[in-house]
Amino acid sequence: MKEKVNIEKLFADKMKDLKPMVDPKAWSAVNSGLMNSIAVKSGFTILTKTIIGLSAASFISIATYFVFKDSNIEKKTAIIKKVDPKISEVVINDSSVDNITADKEPNKPQEIKEKDVILPLNEFIYPKEHLSQEDEPLILKERTEPFIKIEEEVEKTIIAKEEQKSTVIIEETTQNATATNFVFPNVFTPNNDGDNDLFFMLEEASMNECTAFIYGPKGNVVFKTNNLNFKWNGITESNNSAEPGNYLLVIIGSDGKGNPIRYTKKFRLIK
Amino acid sequence: MDESTLIKKCLKGNPKAQKLLFDRYSSKMLGVCLRYAKDTDQAYDFLQEGFIKVFTKLDKFKGDGSFEGWIRRIIVNTALDQLRKEIKLKKNTSIDDMYLDVEQTLYQVDDFFEQDLLKLINEMPDGYRTVFNLFAIEGFSHKEIAQELNISENTSKSQFSRARSYLKNKLEELGIEREG
């Protein structure tokens, strides 16, 4: 009859001789880690050598001094004994830096180094997407969301426009704007009918250190200017007339007093 | 190449010897790491960090006792260093001092696959997993575990008994699945 065991023994027996295949990448990570620590170590040895060298030099000079002062050989050996411990002390101090028992204590500078070292595999595990997401300018993140939500508002505008039969100004929807009172229309019709043919700020503002970007439906910059009192006529940077669709105005910069400004405004281009 | 020659060559920084040493022990040590880690990525983190320590501290190996045991201790210490941080963070939620008694159930070793059991261990909360590993597999006492993880002895006991009852339930599920 087969032996029956309790949970601990079951796991101990099964887990004791676990020998999974090791990913070859693990060795390259360890190896590159070692390269790094060797570089650090050789730095230490140079330091040690210097210290030893210095103490040796001082030993010689002291010894010579005593030799000249007193030719007694016994004294000379006494000095050698006196200076010697110094040298060995330096060596011992150095090696105790990475003593095994120190491993239970958080040895911070060393830990950081070793984490840097393991990067190769981490990089492999976590794709670079993480990095590029953070590197991406904030503006690009902004643009995607408003476009989806715009529909309702624009429809309201159009209805309102039909009712009032005049140019309609809709209230602002600002996102993350810091102390800005920019007023832009949310509809733009560059069709030379004399109504809304230019896109511009309705209340003039004097902000010198700002840049305005207008993003087109495909997410590309179609217009860019440093003058906030610009009047856009619907001609893109590539000299084409802008397509109908959803657009996003982004203004970034500062108000001249050092306060950052970030303003976004979605609007629709209709022809 | 015998062990002492290998160690000597590694101490001189011979890359071939280092690779050989890694190849000789890495598989078994990965097995150890897998038990302490919550997933394979973390196990490799432990393994790499641990082996870098093995090589940089090789001159501290005095030759008394087994070399494999020495490596293993470094690897386990490395894993615990990392886990300690994580356990400390979750202390309030996952570790408490209640002690539960679980009745003994007996199992037949051949009824279970290693991979299934390893998966159960990996899925356990950090506290359960660490204490279970140290107590049931490495054979430390609760007192030693308490010191090592900076928790009370009772916490170690309660974590262990919780781990046991957790595993017991999971093993039953496994058994049922297999029969069904």
Side-chain angles (χ1 to χ4, degrees), chain B residues 89-133:
Chain B
L89 289 176
K90 294 173 191 163
K91 204 167 185 174
N92 294 331
T93 51
S94 74
I95 295 190
D96 52 56
D97 287 339
M98 223 174 91
Y99 187 80
L100 299 167
D101 236 345
V102 186
E103 81 270 28
Q104 290 276 341
T105 318
L106 297 181
Y107 303 90
Q108 205 159 299
V109 177
D110 296 336
D111 282 354
F112 299 97
F113 293 110
E114 286 163 15
Q115 286 308 316
D116 290 340
L117 298 186
L118 184 61
K119 195 160 171 276
L120 293 185
I121 291 185
N122 289 153
E123 283 167 354
M124 276 201 281
D126 285 341
Y128 293 10
R129 190 177 63 242
T130 312
V131 172
F132 187 83
N133 263 314

Short mmCIF file of all heavy atoms in Angstrom, two decimals, chain B residues 89-133:
data_model
loop_
_atom_site.label_atom_id
_atom_site.label_comp_id
_atom_site.label_asym_id
_atom_site.label_seq_id
_atom_site.Cartn_x
_atom_site.Cartn_y
_atom_site.Cartn_z
N LEU B 89 3.99 46.03 3.58
CA LEU B 89 2.97 46.92 3.04
C LEU B 89 1.57 46.38 3.28
O LEU B 89 0.64 47.12 3.54
CB LEU B 89 3.18 47.09 1.53
CG LEU B 89 4.39 47.91 1.13
CD1 LEU B 89 4.51 47.93 -0.38
CD2 LEU B 89 4.24 49.34 1.63
N LYS B 90 1.44 45.06 3.19
CA LYS B 90 0.11 44.47 3.28
C LYS B 90 -0.19 43.95 4.67
O LYS B 90 -1.17 43.25 4.87
CB LYS B 90 -0.01 43.33 2.27
CG LYS B 90 0.06 43.81 0.85
CD LYS B 90 0.12 42.61 -0.08
CE LYS B 90 0.46 43.04 -1.49
NZ LYS B 90 0.90 41.91 -2.30
N LYS B 91 0.66 44.28 5.61
CA LYS B 91 0.56 43.68 6.93
C LYS B 91 -0.84 43.80 7.52
O LYS B 91 -1.39 42.86 8.07
CB LYS B 91 1.56 44.34 7.87
CG LYS B 91 1.95 43.49 9.04
CD LYS B 91 3.15 44.09 9.73
CE LYS B 91 3.62 43.16 10.85
NZ LYS B 91 4.85 43.61 11.44
N ASN B 92 -1.41 44.97 7.40
CA ASN B 92 -2.70 45.20 8.03
C ASN B 92 -3.81 44.34 7.43
O ASN B 92 -4.73 43.95 8.12
CB ASN B 92 -3.09 46.66 7.91
CG ASN B 92 -2.13 47.53 8.70
OD1 ASN B 92 -1.58 47.07 9.69
ND2 ASN B 92 -1.93 48.75 8.25
N THR B 93 -3.71 44.10 6.17
CA THR B 93 -4.82 43.40 5.53
C THR B 93 -4.65 41.89 5.53
O THR B 93 -5.61 41.17 5.75
CB THR B 93 -5.01 43.87 4.09
OG1 THR B 93 -3.75 43.79 3.43
CG2 THR B 93 -5.53 45.29 4.05
N SER B 94 -3.43 41.40 5.30
CA SER B 94 -3.34 39.96 5.07
C SER B 94 -2.75 39.17 6.24
O SER B 94 -2.86 37.96 6.27
CB SER B 94 -2.53 39.68 3.81
OG SER B 94 -1.18 39.90 4.07
N ILE B 95 -2.15 39.85 7.19
CA ILE B 95 -1.59 39.08 8.30
C ILE B 95 -2.35 39.41 9.57
O ILE B 95 -2.43 40.56 9.97
CB ILE B 95 -0.10 39.39 8.49
CG1 ILE B 95 0.67 38.91 7.26
CG2 ILE B 95 0.44 38.72 9.73
CD1 ILE B 95 2.16 38.94 7.43
N ASP B 96 -2.94 38.43 10.19
CA ASP B 96 -3.52 38.68 11.51
C ASP B 96 -3.17 37.52 12.42
O ASP B 96 -2.60 36.53 12.00
CB ASP B 96 -5.03 38.89 11.42
CG ASP B 96 -5.69 37.79 10.66
OD1 ASP B 96 -5.51 36.63 11.06
OD2 ASP B 96 -6.39 38.06 9.66
N ASP B 97 -3.51 37.69 13.68
CA ASP B 97 -2.99 36.75 14.67
C ASP B 97 -3.95 35.64 15.05
O ASP B 97 -3.80 34.99 16.07
CB ASP B 97 -2.60 37.53 15.94
CG ASP B 97 -1.32 38.31 15.69
OD1 ASP B 97 -0.60 37.93 14.75
OD2 ASP B 97 -1.06 39.26 16.43
N MET B 98 -4.94 35.42 14.26
CA MET B 98 -5.89 34.35 14.60
C MET B 98 -5.30 32.99 14.23
O MET B 98 -4.75 32.82 13.16
CB MET B 98 -7.20 34.56 13.87
CG MET B 98 -8.40 34.32 14.75
SD MET B 98 -9.88 34.76 13.87
CE MET B 98 -10.26 33.19 13.14
N TYR B 99 -5.44 32.07 15.16
CA TYR B 99 -4.88 30.75 14.91
C TYR B 99 -6.00 29.75 14.68
O TYR B 99 -6.88 29.58 15.50
CB TYR B 99 -4.02 30.33 16.09
CG TYR B 99 -3.28 29.05 15.85
CD1 TYR B 99 -2.10 29.05 15.11
CD2 TYR B 99 -3.76 27.85 16.35
CE1 TYR B 99 -1.42 27.88 14.87
CE2 TYR B 99 -3.08 26.66 16.11
CZ TYR B 99 -1.91 26.69 15.37
OH TYR B 99 -1.25 25.53 15.13
N LEU B 100 -5.96 29.12 13.54
CA LEU B 100 -7.00 28.14 13.23
C LEU B 100 -6.40 26.75 13.25
O LEU B 100 -5.26 26.54 12.84
CB LEU B 100 -7.56 28.39 11.82
CG LEU B 100 -8.22 29.73 11.55
CD1 LEU B 100 -8.41 29.90 10.06
CD2 LEU B 100 -9.56 29.80 12.27
N ASP B 101 -7.17 25.81 13.73
CA ASP B 101 -6.69 24.43 13.71
C ASP B 101 -7.33 23.68 12.55
O ASP B 101 -8.54 23.63 12.42
CB ASP B 101 -7.04 23.74 15.03
CG ASP B 101 -5.77 23.20 15.67
OD1 ASP B 101 -4.75 23.13 14.95
OD2 ASP B 101 -5.80 22.86 16.86
N VAL B 102 -6.48 23.13 11.75
CA VAL B 102 -7.00 22.36 10.62
C VAL B 102 -6.77 20.88 10.90
O VAL B 102 -5.67 20.50 11.29
CB VAL B 102 -6.28 22.75 9.32
CG1 VAL B 102 -6.92 22.07 8.14
CG2 VAL B 102 -6.27 24.24 9.16
N GLU B 103 -7.76 20.10 10.72
CA GLU B 103 -7.57 18.67 10.99
C GLU B 103 -6.67 18.06 9.90
O GLU B 103 -6.60 18.55 8.79
CB GLU B 103 -8.92 17.94 11.08
CG GLU B 103 -9.56 17.57 9.77
CD GLU B 103 -10.47 18.68 9.23
OE1 GLU B 103 -10.22 19.87 9.52
OE2 GLU B 103 -11.40 18.34 8.51
N GLN B 104 -5.98 17.02 10.31
CA GLN B 104 -5.04 16.39 9.39
C GLN B 104 -5.77 15.60 8.32
O GLN B 104 -6.60 14.76 8.62
CB GLN B 104 -4.13 15.43 10.17
CG GLN B 104 -3.15 16.13 11.08
CD GLN B 104 -1.90 16.57 10.34
OE1 GLN B 104 -1.61 16.06 9.26
NE2 GLN B 104 -1.16 17.51 10.91
N THR B 105 -5.46 15.90 7.08
CA THR B 105 -5.96 15.08 6.00
C THR B 105 -4.75 14.47 5.31
O THR B 105 -3.73 15.13 5.19
CB THR B 105 -6.74 15.92 4.97
OG1 THR B 105 -7.53 16.85 5.69
CG2 THR B 105 -7.60 15.06 4.10
N LEU B 106 -4.86 13.24 4.90
CA LEU B 106 -3.70 12.60 4.29
C LEU B 106 -3.86 12.50 2.78
O LEU B 106 -4.94 12.29 2.26
CB LEU B 106 -3.51 11.20 4.90
CG LEU B 106 -3.19 11.22 6.40
CD1 LEU B 106 -2.99 9.81 6.92
CD2 LEU B 106 -1.96 12.06 6.71
N TYR B 107 -2.73 12.69 2.10
CA TYR B 107 -2.75 12.69 0.65
C TYR B 107 -1.73 11.69 0.12
O TYR B 107 -0.76 11.37 0.78
CB TYR B 107 -2.40 14.07 0.10
CG TYR B 107 -3.31 15.15 0.60
CD1 TYR B 107 -3.03 15.85 1.77
CD2 TYR B 107 -4.47 15.45 -0.10
CE1 TYR B 107 -3.88 16.83 2.23
CE2 TYR B 107 -5.32 16.43 0.35
CZ TYR B 107 -5.03 17.12 1.52
OH TYR B 107 -5.87 18.08 1.97
N GLN B 108 -1.99 11.25 -1.06
CA GLN B 108 -1.03 10.36 -1.71
C GLN B 108 -0.17 11.19 -2.65
O GLN B 108 -0.71 11.89 -3.52
CB GLN B 108 -1.79 9.29 -2.48
CG GLN B 108 -0.97 8.04 -2.65
CD GLN B 108 -1.87 6.87 -2.93
OE1 GLN B 108 -2.73 6.52 -2.12
NE2 GLN B 108 -1.71 6.30 -4.11
N VAL B 109 1.15 11.12 -2.46
CA VAL B 109 2.05 12.01 -3.19
C VAL B 109 1.87 11.89 -4.70
O VAL B 109 1.87 12.88 -5.42
CB VAL B 109 3.52 11.71 -2.80
CG1 VAL B 109 4.47 12.57 -3.61
CG2 VAL B 109 3.72 11.96 -1.32
N ASP B 110 1.69 10.66 -5.16
CA ASP B 110 1.65 10.47 -6.62
C ASP B 110 0.37 11.00 -7.27
O ASP B 110 0.27 11.05 -8.49
CB ASP B 110 1.79 8.97 -6.95
CG ASP B 110 3.15 8.46 -6.52
OD1 ASP B 110 4.07 9.29 -6.42
OD2 ASP B 110 3.29 7.25 -6.27
N ASP B 111 -0.58 11.38 -6.42
CA ASP B 111 -1.85 11.85 -6.98
C ASP B 111 -1.76 13.24 -7.59
O ASP B 111 -2.67 13.68 -8.27
CB ASP B 111 -2.94 11.87 -5.89
CG ASP B 111 -3.46 10.47 -5.64
OD1 ASP B 111 -3.04 9.58 -6.38
OD2 ASP B 111 -4.26 10.29 -4.71
N PHE B 112 -0.66 13.96 -7.30
CA PHE B 112 -0.61 15.36 -7.73
C PHE B 112 0.62 15.63 -8.59
O PHE B 112 1.68 15.02 -8.42
CB PHE B 112 -0.58 16.27 -6.52
CG PHE B 112 -1.80 16.13 -5.67
CD1 PHE B 112 -1.80 15.30 -4.55
CD2 PHE B 112 -2.96 16.81 -6.01
CE1 PHE B 112 -2.94 15.16 -3.78
CE2 PHE B 112 -4.10 16.67 -5.24
CZ PHE B 112 -4.09 15.84 -4.13
N PHE B 113 0.45 16.56 -9.51
CA PHE B 113 1.56 16.95 -10.36
C PHE B 113 2.28 18.15 -9.76
O PHE B 113 1.66 19.02 -9.15
CB PHE B 113 1.06 17.33 -11.76
CG PHE B 113 0.49 16.17 -12.51
CD1 PHE B 113 -0.87 16.09 -12.77
CD2 PHE B 113 1.33 15.14 -12.96
CE1 PHE B 113 -1.40 15.02 -13.46
CE2 PHE B 113 0.80 14.07 -13.65
CZ PHE B 113 -0.57 14.00 -13.90
N GLU B 114 3.58 18.19 -9.97
CA GLU B 114 4.38 19.29 -9.42
C GLU B 114 3.85 20.65 -9.87
O GLU B 114 3.73 21.58 -9.08
CB GLU B 114 5.83 19.17 -9.87
CG GLU B 114 6.58 18.07 -9.17
CD GLU B 114 7.85 17.68 -9.89
OE1 GLU B 114 8.27 18.45 -10.77
OE2 GLU B 114 8.40 16.61 -9.58
N GLN B 115 3.53 20.74 -11.15
CA GLN B 115 3.12 22.03 -11.68
C GLN B 115 1.83 22.53 -11.03
O GLN B 115 1.68 23.71 -10.77
CB GLN B 115 2.95 21.95 -13.21
CG GLN B 115 4.26 21.89 -13.97
CD GLN B 115 5.23 23.00 -13.57
OE1 GLN B 115 4.83 24.16 -13.43
NE2 GLN B 115 6.49 22.67 -13.37
N ASP B 116 0.91 21.58 -10.76
CA ASP B 116 -0.34 21.96 -10.11
C ASP B 116 -0.06 22.53 -8.73
O ASP B 116 -0.62 23.56 -8.34
CB ASP B 116 -1.27 20.74 -9.97
CG ASP B 116 -1.79 20.30 -11.33
OD1 ASP B 116 -1.75 21.13 -12.25
OD2 ASP B 116 -2.22 19.14 -11.46
N LEU B 117 0.80 21.84 -7.99
CA LEU B 117 1.10 22.27 -6.63
C LEU B 117 1.81 23.62 -6.63
O LEU B 117 1.52 24.49 -5.82
CB LEU B 117 1.96 21.23 -5.92
CG LEU B 117 1.32 19.85 -5.75
CD1 LEU B 117 2.22 18.96 -4.91
CD2 LEU B 117 -0.06 19.94 -5.11
N LEU B 118 2.73 23.77 -7.59
CA LEU B 118 3.47 25.03 -7.68
C LEU B 118 2.51 26.18 -7.95
O LEU B 118 2.62 27.26 -7.38
CB LEU B 118 4.51 24.94 -8.79
CG LEU B 118 5.42 26.15 -8.93
CD1 LEU B 118 6.22 26.38 -7.67
CD2 LEU B 118 6.36 25.98 -10.12
N LYS B 119 1.54 25.91 -8.81
CA LYS B 119 0.57 26.94 -9.15
C LYS B 119 -0.21 27.35 -7.90
O LYS B 119 -0.45 28.53 -7.66
CB LYS B 119 -0.38 26.40 -10.22
CG LYS B 119 -1.19 27.46 -10.91
CD LYS B 119 -1.72 26.97 -12.25
CE LYS B 119 -2.72 27.96 -12.83
NZ LYS B 119 -4.09 27.80 -12.33
N LEU B 120 -0.59 26.34 -7.10
CA LEU B 120 -1.31 26.65 -5.86
C LEU B 120 -0.47 27.54 -4.95
O LEU B 120 -0.96 28.50 -4.37
CB LEU B 120 -1.67 25.37 -5.11
CG LEU B 120 -2.68 24.44 -5.78
CD1 LEU B 120 -3.00 23.29 -4.84
CD2 LEU B 120 -3.93 25.19 -6.15
N ILE B 121 0.81 27.23 -4.86
CA ILE B 121 1.70 28.03 -4.00
C ILE B 121 1.79 29.45 -4.53
O ILE B 121 1.68 30.42 -3.78
CB ILE B 121 3.11 27.39 -3.93
CG1 ILE B 121 3.04 26.07 -3.16
CG2 ILE B 121 4.10 28.32 -3.27
CD1 ILE B 121 4.36 25.42 -2.93
N ASN B 122 1.98 29.57 -5.83
CA ASN B 122 2.13 30.91 -6.43
C ASN B 122 0.90 31.78 -6.19
O ASN B 122 1.00 32.98 -6.01
CB ASN B 122 2.36 30.80 -7.94
CG ASN B 122 3.72 30.27 -8.28
OD1 ASN B 122 3.93 29.68 -9.32
ND2 ASN B 122 4.68 30.44 -7.37
N GLU B 123 -0.26 31.13 -6.22
CA GLU B 123 -1.50 31.91 -6.12
C GLU B 123 -1.82 32.35 -4.70
O GLU B 123 -2.68 33.18 -4.48
CB GLU B 123 -2.67 31.09 -6.69
CG GLU B 123 -2.66 31.07 -8.21
CD GLU B 123 -3.59 30.05 -8.78
OE1 GLU B 123 -4.18 29.26 -8.00
OE2 GLU B 123 -3.74 30.02 -10.01
N MET B 124 -1.11 31.78 -3.73
CA MET B 124 -1.39 32.16 -2.34
C MET B 124 -0.99 33.61 -2.07
O MET B 124 -0.09 34.12 -2.72
CB MET B 124 -0.60 31.25 -1.39
CG MET B 124 -1.29 29.94 -1.09
SD MET B 124 -0.65 29.24 0.43
CE MET B 124 0.88 28.54 -0.15
N PRO B 125 -1.62 34.26 -1.11
CA PRO B 125 -1.16 35.59 -0.71
C PRO B 125 0.30 35.54 -0.24
O PRO B 125 0.76 34.50 0.25
CB PRO B 125 -2.07 35.94 0.45
CG PRO B 125 -3.28 35.09 0.28
CD PRO B 125 -2.81 33.84 -0.37
N ASP B 126 1.00 36.67 -0.39
CA ASP B 126 2.43 36.72 -0.07
C ASP B 126 2.77 36.15 1.30
O ASP B 126 3.72 35.38 1.46
CB ASP B 126 2.93 38.17 -0.13
CG ASP B 126 3.07 38.66 -1.56
OD1 ASP B 126 3.12 37.80 -2.45
OD2 ASP B 126 3.11 39.88 -1.77
N GLY B 127 1.99 36.54 2.29
CA GLY B 127 2.27 36.11 3.66
C GLY B 127 2.15 34.61 3.82
O GLY B 127 3.04 33.95 4.37
N TYR B 128 1.06 34.04 3.33
CA TYR B 128 0.86 32.59 3.40
C TYR B 128 2.02 31.87 2.73
O TYR B 128 2.60 30.93 3.26
CB TYR B 128 -0.41 32.17 2.64
CG TYR B 128 -1.74 32.62 3.21
CD1 TYR B 128 -1.83 33.54 4.24
CD2 TYR B 128 -2.92 32.09 2.68
CE1 TYR B 128 -3.06 33.95 4.71
CE2 TYR B 128 -4.16 32.49 3.16
CZ TYR B 128 -4.22 33.42 4.18
OH TYR B 128 -5.43 33.82 4.64
N ARG B 129 2.31 32.35 1.50
CA ARG B 129 3.30 31.64 0.69
C ARG B 129 4.67 31.63 1.36
O ARG B 129 5.32 30.59 1.44
CB ARG B 129 3.38 32.32 -0.69
CG ARG B 129 4.18 31.55 -1.70
CD ARG B 129 4.17 32.22 -3.05
NE ARG B 129 4.79 33.52 -3.01
CZ ARG B 129 4.17 34.65 -3.29
NH1 ARG B 129 2.91 34.66 -3.63
NH2 ARG B 129 4.81 35.80 -3.21
N THR B 130 5.07 32.79 1.85
CA THR B 130 6.40 32.88 2.45
C THR B 130 6.51 31.99 3.68
O THR B 130 7.47 31.22 3.83
CB THR B 130 6.70 34.33 2.84
OG1 THR B 130 6.38 35.17 1.74
CG2 THR B 130 8.15 34.50 3.19
N VAL B 131 5.51 32.07 4.56
CA VAL B 131 5.57 31.29 5.79
C VAL B 131 5.47 29.79 5.48
O VAL B 131 6.21 28.98 6.05
CB VAL B 131 4.45 31.72 6.77
CG1 VAL B 131 4.39 30.79 7.95
CG2 VAL B 131 4.69 33.15 7.22
N PHE B 132 4.61 29.44 4.55
CA PHE B 132 4.47 28.03 4.20
C PHE B 132 5.78 27.47 3.65
O PHE B 132 6.22 26.39 4.04
CB PHE B 132 3.35 27.84 3.17
CG PHE B 132 3.04 26.39 2.88
CD1 PHE B 132 2.19 25.68 3.72
CD2 PHE B 132 3.61 25.73 1.80
CE1 PHE B 132 1.91 24.35 3.48
CE2 PHE B 132 3.35 24.40 1.56
CZ PHE B 132 2.48 23.71 2.40
N ASN B 133 6.42 28.22 2.78
CA ASN B 133 7.71 27.82 2.23
C ASN B 133 8.74 27.60 3.32
O ASN B 133 9.42 26.58 3.35
CB ASN B 133 8.24 28.92 1.31
CG ASN B 133 7.92 28.65 -0.14
OD1 ASN B 133 8.10 27.53 -0.60
ND2 ASN B 133 7.42 29.64 -0.83
#
